Amino acid sequence: MGWLKSKKFWISLVVLAIMIASAFYIKVPLPHIQVPPETLFMVGPVPFTNTMLALLLADVVLIVMAFLATRKLEMVPRGLQNFFEIVIDFWQTQSLNHIGEKMTRAWLPLVLTVFFMVWFSNYSHFLPGFDTIGILCKAGECPGEPGAAHAAADDHAEEGAPAAESVAAAEGEEHAAPEGPAHTYFKVTDWNGIGLITERYPEDASEEEKHAEGRVLVPFLRVAASDLNMPLALALIAFLVIEFAGFKALGFGYLGKFFNFKEGGIMMGVGLLELVSEIMRIITFSFRLFGNVFAGQTLLFVFPFLVPALMVLPIYGLELFVGLIQSYVFAILILAFMQQAITAHHGPDHGDHAAEHH
Amino acid sequence: MEKLGINVYLLGLQILHFVLLLVLLRALLYKPILGFMQKRTEQIRSSMAEADKVRQQAAAERATLESQIAEERRTSQDRLRQAVARGEEAADRRLAEATAEAEQLLARARAEAEQTRAQALAGMQNDIAELALLAAGKVLGEAIDAGKHRKLVDGFLSQKLGELA
């Protein structure tokens, strides 16, 4: 019975009790989960999404930190200068080990930017307000949706009119939920002019009711890498840079990796497989990052829905880890693939490191 | 593609964003930090080289000083040895001189003592002879020839005193 006197036991019991009680008494609606990012506004044909805004926010944090770190450089580094020096020194060492000195001079800034951008944007997810604060709009009239301009014109025309009237006007024209991405409808209460989500409309509620009364949340901020465009853009840049480095190091001999007709049919097949895997890297690069971050975001949605209190904390810990690891993986893979690209592929007769000649 | 949210404009925007961020960070962060790290590395390297140089100089100076000390020690030992030898020589010389002087003094003293004794004996002989002649004259009554007997007494006394001496 010694465990009854243990402080850890009682703390665990209290935590468990809070978690169970929260599951019964606190209702957290499951937010809308969708793969494409939500549009905040349109600039001509270009949608400005919440992931882009989050990315810019991460950029601002990064640039301000960089500015503060380099404002007054000291021989014995402290604070932010020390932080950036450690990270940059780490990547410089990695880069020197992988691609040599000359290539490092050329490509280290790119690798560092990938690392910092992914890392800071992943960690921005932990700021309060991400995915939870945004525009509450009617389905089909949210920013970037076909009815948005129409709704804006209506709002302007009926300034001060109750929301229900504009809802009715919209319904009169459409009579049903609009086409486009599936929406998740929330019940909203008004609190000093600010809409607060109380609960999610049940799935079995009629589309008309949901569309008339329900509101769709378009968050202002959403973690950037959960928008496939960001990892894909980075993957394309990485792909182009790796191929460019390969050509620069080996010249047209670089193509011999993929089109190897001199060493028989098997090697030709291997070369073609290499080519396919080379192109597939764009997909693996982008979906690895996207998958991890999107899954993390979904976990952070789902856990408070299942157990509102405390249960989400370990997931935050996990996401801290994943956010850093994914940025590391993306950057280190660029270096590793670049190393492969600049290395001649043949055996001992000319299997030397091409980078050493450059 | 649409279901995954892939949008050509967004893709282009992301690429543009990356390039701008790269340019900005390169100017604002990487260049200053890498330049500063390079500067620090060079400074440390030159400090290390300087320290090595100073260490080598110190070692060389130490070796020189040690050889100088050894030389000085050798010289001082030689001087000491020479001084001791000179001292011993001087002492020996002084001892010899003192001994010779003492012997001279002794010889002189001895000669003086001999002379004094001889003078004393001669005086005494004379007195004894005078007394003997006087006593004999008293006994025999003026019958004594002073010159003849005097010679006789002196001869006797010289013999006896010579035996005593």
Side-chain angles (χ1 to χ4, degrees), chain A residues 59 63 74-75 85 113 229, chain B residues 5 7 17 30 36 40 43:
Chain A
D59 288 350
I63 288 164
E74 289 173 14
M75 269 297 156
E85 277 197 20
T113 307
N229 291 296
Chain B
N7 178 304
H17 162 266
Y30 310 145
F36 195 77
R40 187 193 288 129
Q43 199 166 325

Side-chain angles (χ1 to χ4, degrees), chain B residues 88-106:
Chain B
E88 281 175 352
E89 198 182 315
D92 285 349
R93 201 168 51 242
R94 288 293 304 153
L95 189 63
E97 280 173 8
T99 309
E101 204 174 324
E103 278 174 357
Q104 274 179 2
L105 283 173
L106 195 64

Side-chain angles (χ1 to χ4, degrees), chain A residues 241-263:
Chain A
V241 161
I242 289 164
E243 303 311 309
F244 177 75
F247 270 109
K248 205 177 170 200
L250 303 175
F252 279 100
Y254 177 63
L255 290 175
K257 275 186 177 183
F258 312 117
F259 306 106
N260 186 358
F261 302 118
K262 292 176 189 167
E263 294 174 49

Side-chain angles (χ1 to χ4, degrees), chain A:
Chain A
M1 297 294 273
W3 48 268
L4 273 176
K5 288 179 185 169
S6 160
K7 208 185 259 182
K8 280 182 190 168
F9 168 76
W10 288 107
I11 290 172
S12 308
L13 200 69
V14 169
V15 167
L16 196 65
I18 291 172
M19 279 161 58
I20 291 169
S22 72
F24 285 105
Y25 294 107
I26 303 172
K27 287 229 174 342
V28 175
L30 180 66
H32 175 62
I33 298 168
Q34 71 173 44
V35 176
E38 288 87 352
T39 303
L40 292 178
F41 56 86
M42 299 291 287
V43 184
V46 184
F48 188 86
T49 59
N50 50 5
T51 51
M52 204 66 219
L53 185 64
L55 192 57
L56 291 178
L57 181 73
D59 288 350
V60 169
V61 173
L62 177 58
I63 288 164
V64 167
M65 280 174 71
F67 175 74
L68 292 175
T70 54
R71 199 175 40 166
K72 196 181 160 203
L73 293 168
E74 289 173 14
M75 269 297 156
V76 181
R78 288 180 303 139
L80 282 175
Q81 184 193 344
N82 203 13
F83 164 74
F84 280 115
E85 277 197 20
I86 289 168
V87 177
I88 290 173
D89 187 50
F90 172 79
W91 281 109
Q92 193 178 28
T93 311
Q94 292 290 331
S95 182
L96 287 171
N97 290 341
H98 279 84
I99 57 175
E101 198 178 341
K102 196 180 173 191
M103 286 278 191
T104 294
R105 270 203 299 276
W107 300 117
L108 179 64
L110 181 126
V111 175
L112 280 169
T113 307
V114 168
F115 177 73
F116 279 124
M117 183 177 147
V118 176
W119 189 19
F120 274 67
S121 69
N122 283 354
Y123 271 24
S124 67
H125 194 193
F126 302 109
L127 293 173
F130 261 70
D131 300 307
T132 50
I133 299 175
I135 304 163
L136 286 167
C137 51
K138 285 185 67 177
E141 294 176 6
C142 292
E145 289 186 322
H150 175 73
D154 277 357
D155 283 353
H156 189 67
E158 301 170 22
E159 215 166 329
E165 283 181 31
S166 62
V167 170
E171 255 190 277
E173 285 169 24
E174 294 175 21
H175 295 291
E179 286 180 12
H183 291 101
T184 299
Y185 297 91
F186 297 101
K187 290 182 180 172
V188 176
T189 58
D190 186 74
W191 178 77
N192 292 338
I194 299 171
L196 291 179
I197 291 173
T198 53
E199 60 182 297
R200 195 176 162 134
Y201 263 96
E203 291 300 324
D204 52 3
S206 72
E207 282 297 315
E208 284 76 14
E209 185 195 352
K210 283 197 284 189
H211 185 63
E213 300 293 330
R215 289 290 181 274
V216 173
L217 174 67
V218 179
F220 289 126
L221 296 163
R222 174 177 153 181
V223 62
S226 70
D227 169 6
L228 192 54
N229 291 296
M230 183 243 196
L232 188 60
L234 290 184
L236 282 171
I237 290 167
F239 175 79
L240 290 175
V241 161
I242 289 164
E243 303 311 309
F244 177 75
F247 270 109
K248 205 177 170 200
L250 303 175
F252 279 100
Y254 177 63
L255 290 175
K257 275 186 177 183
F258 312 117
F259 306 106
N260 186 358
F261 302 118
K262 292 176 189 167
E263 294 174 49
I266 292 179
M267 291 313 288
M268 198 171 81
V270 169
L272 289 175
L273 277 177
E274 281 258 356
L275 181 66
V276 173
S277 77
E278 197 83 2
I279 294 164
M280 288 298 281
R281 270 183 202 158
I282 300 174
I283 297 172
T284 57
F285 254 134
S286 49
F287 274 86
R288 183 185 303 109
L289 178 59
F290 167 74
N292 275 286
V293 174
F294 190 77
Q297 178 194 11
T298 310
L299 269 180
L300 291 179
F301 282 159
V302 171
F303 266 79
F305 167 69
L306 295 173
V307 182
L310 302 173
M311 188 70 177
V312 77
L313 288 178
I315 307 299
Y316 270 104
L318 180 74
E319 282 307 301
L320 275 172
F321 183 67
V322 171
L324 179 60
I325 287 293
Q326 283 309 313
S327 51
Y328 170 79
V329 166
F330 209 111
I332 200 79
L333 281 179
I334 292 177
L335 287 175
F337 290 147
M338 202 179 273
Q339 184 185 22
Q340 280 181 19
I342 62 175
T343 307
H345 72 292
H346 283 299
D349 50 342
H350 38 77
D352 52 336
H353 208 285
E356 284 169 11
H357 301 299
H358 290 265

